[in-house]
Amino acid sequence: MSRRRKPDWLKMRPPSGERFTEIKRTLRDHDLHTVCEEASCPNMGECWSGRDGPGTATFMLMGDRCSRGCNFCDVKTGGMEALDPDEPANVADAVAEIGLDYVVLTSVDRDDLDDQGASHFAETIREIKKRDPDILVESLIPDFQGEEALVQQIIDAGPDVIAHNVETVERRQFPVRDRRAGYEQSLSVLEQVGDAADVYAKTSIMLGVGEHDHEVYQTLSDLRERGVDVVTLGQYLQPSRSHLDVADYVHPQKFETWREVAEDELGFLYCASGPMVRSSYRAGELFVDALRRDDRSVADAREAARARAGE
């Protein structure tokens, strides 16, 4: 079966630039991984090179191998190694060296560990905040099998945003995600975060994996009912021929319609929606930065974020 031809609106520029090279060198010096590289993110060139700013990298904790095998993801599965006890401090040092003021942390799933890596993730947040409490930290966490005590460890560490991706509509959870993931399990994690004080709850949905419009609407409604503040929608792109096929390339205008539905009808504080939007790139960071650091209103923060992102 031949791969579907990508439309013109999915063109991207390759990784390049002095800032890109600098960040890559810093990451290698500290023996760190990024989801940008491991998941073959199409925005890596623009994101690392920077856009009127210092550039951004999303740090991936707990190794480069995942205990789960989602059919959309390019991260390797199996063969996990012991955690590096120096990683939390190394990440914090790299953040300081690169000069970031907004940091995104994520991780592989580590179902093989007693606490699934929750304490390690939380320690990384604390190390960053200890060096500079003004740095905004977004934590894109696994579901921790829905264990509330493990999610609470992340909340207690004091990040500014906690994200967990529901990924797709309920009907398409499998084959899109590993069977150990699940719609209700992810909603329970997001609801716990949504109920917490002084932290924004965020999630992401991929389009183009066989979903129907009414299912996207239902998913957005379910997320808002659970207290999710920020939602992102982006186009699924097949990392390789062995991954899930693209069912449809969604037109940019439909993404804009979903943004309007999310913000104007359902009441999300912010929705980043577009073919090239990813959960940890141009997808709420600028909004949260304007809202929390600059103390702007929601409307002003939306406008500022979209102006800086070039939307």
Side-chain angles (χ1 to χ4, degrees):
M1 180 178 178
S2 61
R3 303 177 80 180
R4 298 191 59 172
R5 184 179 179 85
K6 292 180 182 177
D8 291 341
W9 62 75
L10 286 173
K11 291 180 179 178
M12 63 202 75
R13 63 186 176 95
S16 63
E18 181 179 348
R19 192 60 179 162
F20 172 84
T21 303
E22 179 185 345
I23 291 177
K24 192 176 184 72
R25 182 172 58 248
T26 300
L27 295 170
R28 295 296 83 80
D29 288 346
H30 290 278
D31 193 27
L32 299 174
H33 301 282
T34 66
V35 74
C36 321
E37 297 169 288
E38 298 300 333
S40 302
C41 179
N43 297 310
M44 188 164 56
E46 180 178 346
C47 193
W48 282 23
S49 299
R51 185 189 183 101
D52 300 325
T56 301
T58 299
F59 294 89
M60 189 166 75
L61 308 178
M62 299 188 282
D64 62 350
R65 290 182 173 270
C66 187
S67 60
R68 300 187 187 180
C70 296
N71 289 318
F72 69 90
C73 183
D74 205 23
V75 176
K76 296 180 286 292
T77 301
M80 287 79 66
E81 298 181 350
L83 297 183
D84 177 3
D86 296 326
E87 184 177 53
N90 285 338
V91 169
D93 290 342
V95 167
E97 188 173 329
I98 294 170
L100 302 175
D101 56 10
Y102 193 111
V103 180
V104 182
L105 303 175
T106 188
S107 76
V108 292
D109 283 280
R110 291 301 302 261
D111 299 285
D112 57 305
L113 302 174
D114 288 342
D115 72 346
Q116 300 171 61
S119 59
H120 187 89
F121 205 130
E123 180 61 21
T124 307
I125 298 168
R126 287 192 291 268
E127 286 288 340
I128 294 170
K129 288 287 192 178
K130 182 170 65 176
R131 284 161 174 74
D132 185 351
D134 291 331
I135 292 177
L136 299 181
V137 178
E138 177 175 322
S139 301
L140 174 55
I141 63 172
D143 59 27
F144 296 121
Q145 298 179 23
E147 295 189 29
E148 292 186 7
L150 301 183
V151 176
Q152 191 62 45
Q153 286 192 43
I154 307 300
I155 295 171
D156 292 344
D160 301 277
V161 179
I162 297 178
H164 171 66
N165 291 342
V166 70
E167 306 293 6
T168 187
V169 300
E170 185 171 14
R171 180 179 59 84
R172 295 294 291 164
Q173 289 289 304
F174 185 83
V176 173
R177 304 173 80 191
D178 186 285
R179 289 189 184 275
R180 283 166 287 185
Y183 190 71
E184 289 299 331
Q185 183 165 276
S186 288
L187 289 182
S188 72
V189 171
L190 289 164
E191 185 170 23
Q192 184 178 351
V193 175
D195 288 341
D198 204 33
V199 63
Y200 294 105
K202 176 181 170 183
T203 195
S204 183
I205 303 170
M206 295 180 294
L207 300 186
V209 295
E211 73 285 341
H212 300 307
D213 286 353
H214 73 274
E215 294 174 312
V216 177
Y217 186 89
Q218 184 62 57
T219 301
L220 289 170
S221 298
D222 291 343
L223 292 167
R224 190 69 192 112
E225 287 178 5
R226 266 58 171 204
V228 174
D229 302 298
V230 177
V231 64
T232 79
L233 297 95
Q235 171 70 52
Y236 167 65
L237 297 176
Q238 187 183 35
S240 76
R241 292 181 184 273
S242 63
H243 289 82
L244 188 74
D245 289 332
V246 175
D248 185 38
Y249 288 114
V250 180
H251 194 276
Q253 184 54 54
K254 179 171 278 191
F255 278 103
E256 176 61 18
T257 297
W258 284 125
R259 183 193 68 78
E260 293 172 356
V261 168
E263 291 185 353
D264 300 339
E265 181 177 342
L266 297 177
F268 285 91
L269 295 184
Y270 189 77
C271 174
S273 183
M276 299 308 296
V277 166
R278 295 296 179 265
S279 61
S280 51
Y281 164 73
R282 281 179 59 185
E285 294 95 328
L286 297 175
F287 169 75
V288 173
D289 188 88
L291 194 66
R292 184 158 285 207
R293 196 185 305 280
D294 299 339
D295 197 27
R296 301 191 186 209
S297 68
V298 170
D300 286 348
R302 286 176 180 172
E303 183 178 355
R306 293 197 168 106
R308 287 178 61 190
E311 296 181 15

